[in-house]
Amino acid sequence: MRVHILGICGTFMGGVALLARDLGYAVSGSDAAAWPPMSDILAQADITVHSGYSIEHLEPPPDAAIIGNALTRGNPAIEYILDRGINFSSGPEWLAANVLKNRCPVAISGTHGKTTTAAMTAWALELSGFAPGFLIGGAPCFSERSARLGTGSPFVVEADEYDTAFFDKRAKVVHYRPRVLTINNLEYDHADIYPNLESIATQLHHAVRTVPPSGRVLVNGDDPNIDLVLRQGCWSNLEKVGTGADNDWRICIQGDKKSAQLTYQGSDQGEINLPQPGLHNMRNAAMAVAAANAVGVCAPTALQALKRFPGVKRRLELRGSAAQVDVIDDFAHHPSAIQATLEALREANPQARIVAVLEPRSRTMQQGVHRDRLATSLEQADLAFVLSPTELTWSVADALAPLGEKVTLASSTSALCTQVLAQARPGDKVVIMSNGDFGGIHEQILGGLQAQDGQK
């Protein structure tokens, strides 16, 4: 069966392509542009990727098309598919019907930490002998691919709250019919499709409604916003995870704040001791342990596995060092995630100067929804360099005025890079935060630092 995937180079849709190929489908795809690493991964899997959405890429017509949520009516490929009556589905719909059916879906949802928690859960299941399948919205460092079928019953899927397709405006998470559902946290995001926090909570509750009575719903017991979901009803086994005393899974932070004990209903399960710093990663780990436990892994075994968790690309990932300056890449693009990233870096490097480089790229950030929280999120940085594109309808300078002279703004990536290089000094930790490629600024900064070092 021939399947063509529109939007194939996105992490999720690329994962769908890999799973379809592993199931024996003849897979091809199109995207606005093909870029690494997904383009390289797809090429290695013998999947043809076309640049652009010309109808020529759909001839002869495939047996079915899988359509990503970035595409809308008016796209020539979409119009061709509709006119020809080609069978089509969304990525989540295809995944549910072709992969998750007859498996044990473990859906990892929430505003923040989905990718890391999903990777931690898959890692714990793998090291415990469960041979899970997974589809993760990022690049786990323990696999060359973001998706695999696996041979065991569990399938870990990162369950996004973003909409499904141009013809299906429900959240992706609604499609997965999980036996285990985690809700890591709940904050307002995706302002381009959701009018308020309650509308996101409603989508998450649609997913809660599909968990069987013998299944498990795991929630962040420290997040009051999750009550917006739970007060609409829960008919499955419910467990809470967090630092508060009333949580079933309790994270008990140690004095050095670099490790914690995890208890379950008052019984000690072992130590959360990760290679990755930060309270947010301890929370992700505790949720992963609870999710793995719901599938059948004893908590101490899962905790032992996470001591060796290799991490996820673009999550406090060291991209390189030059002139005694570390350049770190992080996906943070929401004020809460920005703050958590900087606090983790500060905790791990108390004597270093923390230099934040931020691109306000997400649609929510571009609309200025969180501008009142932006200065607070950057407080842990010693210096902050922020891209301020001229097309923004709100003033980045006004939003960051409380930070005073430690903020530098620039309207272009190259100008921002020049400013960073002018002020960087040995021992700095430069953390670049964006949910995009930020115009290749990582390599620009590293290259500039190497040039400076060579001149000494």
Side-chain angles (χ1 to χ4, degrees), residues 251-283:
I251 306 164
C252 304
I253 307 295
Q254 303 300 304
D256 61 4
K257 296 185 180 180
K258 294 183 179 180
S259 63
Q261 290 298 120
L262 183 65
T263 65
Y264 177 67
Q265 296 182 350
S267 176
D268 184 31
Q269 302 299 306
E271 186 180 36
I272 303 175
N273 192 344
L274 303 168
Q276 298 77 27
L279 175 59
H280 67 298
N281 277 318
M282 290 187 192
R283 289 186 180 278

Side-chain angles (χ1 to χ4, degrees), residues 249 268-271 289 293 297-307:
W249 296 90
D268 184 31
Q269 302 299 306
E271 186 180 36
V289 169
N293 179 260
V297 179
C298 68
T301 299
L303 286 167
Q304 284 297 317
L306 292 180
K307 287 182 179 180

Side-chain angles (χ1 to χ4, degrees), residues 121-188:
T121 304
W123 174 257
L125 289 169
E126 176 69 15
L127 265 62
S128 302
F130 280 69
F134 56 79
L135 199 168
I136 298 169
C141 294
F142 58 81
S143 173
E144 294 182 351
R145 296 170 38 161
S146 61
R148 78 170 189 199
L149 284 175
T151 57
S153 174
F155 192 98
V156 181
V157 57
E158 181 174 330
D160 194 355
E161 69 272 23
Y162 209 70
D163 63 356
T164 297
F166 77 89
F167 53 89
D168 184 351
K169 292 305 176 182
R170 294 173 296 170
K172 294 186 184 76
V173 63
V174 175
H175 290 271
Y176 300 142
R177 308 284 177 90
R179 292 199 66 84
V180 180
L181 171 67
T182 80
I183 307 178
N184 284 14
N185 37 61
L186 177 57
E187 287 196 80
Y188 185 51

